[in-house]
Amino acid sequence: MALAASFLYLPHGLRVLATLIGGRKIIPGLFLGHVVSGIYIHSFANGTGIEILDIFNLEIIIIILLTSIGSSFCVLLALFILKINSLKIKSIKLKTILFVSVLSSIINSFFSNTIYYLSFDDWEIGVQFFQYIIGDLTGALILFYVLKFVK
């Protein structure tokens, strides 16, 4: 299996900000975006282009749906665990956003890697777990750094 985590994953920062701004109502959009990107990634992971049969493979569809659920809800779960109300976004400090980013990246990594480990015989869960976390955090930190200069 050619799937692997990236050391730089900007969408996690967007996922955190979108959830903080939009709350629960943003989840369907995050879910749909993850499903579409999951289909793309799984289709091109073998390097030969779109394999139509992979798109309609029930096992792949279930994997994409399950990882999409985990990725879509990881920020809400982090907010719930930290008892942060996303409706009061103006009172949320940068330190809190970074803490939410860290916790949600751990939740996302754990959930996604568990699904992949149970689904693929050659999934290297130890390496991939940390690559997911590093990629999510690096992407979030870069996005927050860039947004710091946007007025």
Side-chain angles (χ1 to χ4, degrees):
M1 172 55 59
L3 292 174
S6 169
F7 282 116
L8 173 60
Y9 191 70
L10 293 172
H12 183 69
L14 293 172
R15 179 172 42 220
V16 171
L17 291 177
T19 305
L20 286 172
I21 293 168
R24 289 186 299 249
K25 63 185 171 211
I26 200 76
I27 297 299
L30 291 174
F31 178 77
L32 182 60
H34 195 279
V35 168
V36 170
S37 65
I39 290 170
Y40 175 81
I41 289 168
H42 282 272
S43 298
F44 286 98
N46 61 13
T48 61
I50 291 181
E51 296 288 334
I52 298 298
L53 296 178
D54 282 351
I55 294 172
F56 297 107
N57 179 325
L58 183 60
E59 181 181 2
I60 297 296
I61 290 172
I62 290 170
I63 291 168
I64 291 170
L65 291 175
L66 288 175
T67 56
S68 295
I69 290 168
S71 293
S72 299
F73 282 96
C74 69
V75 178
L76 280 180
L77 184 56
L79 292 171
F80 177 77
I81 291 169
L82 297 172
K83 296 181 173 123
I84 296 171
N85 185 351
S86 64
L87 297 177
K88 298 178 183 176
I89 183 125
K90 293 185 192 270
S91 65
I92 296 176
K93 296 183 175 21
L94 182 60
K95 186 169 101 175
T96 305
I97 294 172
L98 292 175
F99 198 58
V100 168
S101 297
V102 170
L103 184 56
S104 61
S105 70
I106 292 169
I107 293 167
N108 180 48
S109 180
F110 177 77
F111 192 80
S112 295
N113 277 286
T114 300
I115 298 299
Y116 287 137
Y117 180 73
L118 295 173
S119 303
F120 302 117
D121 293 333
D122 59 348
W123 190 256
E124 297 177 11
I125 192 164
V127 173
Q128 293 296 326
F129 180 79
F130 289 107
Q131 278 185 262
Y132 265 70
I133 292 171
I134 291 168
D136 282 356
L137 290 179
T138 305
L141 291 174
I142 289 172
L143 184 69
F144 297 145
Y145 180 77
V146 169
L147 288 176
K148 189 170 134 179
F149 296 107
V150 175
K151 304 248 180 201

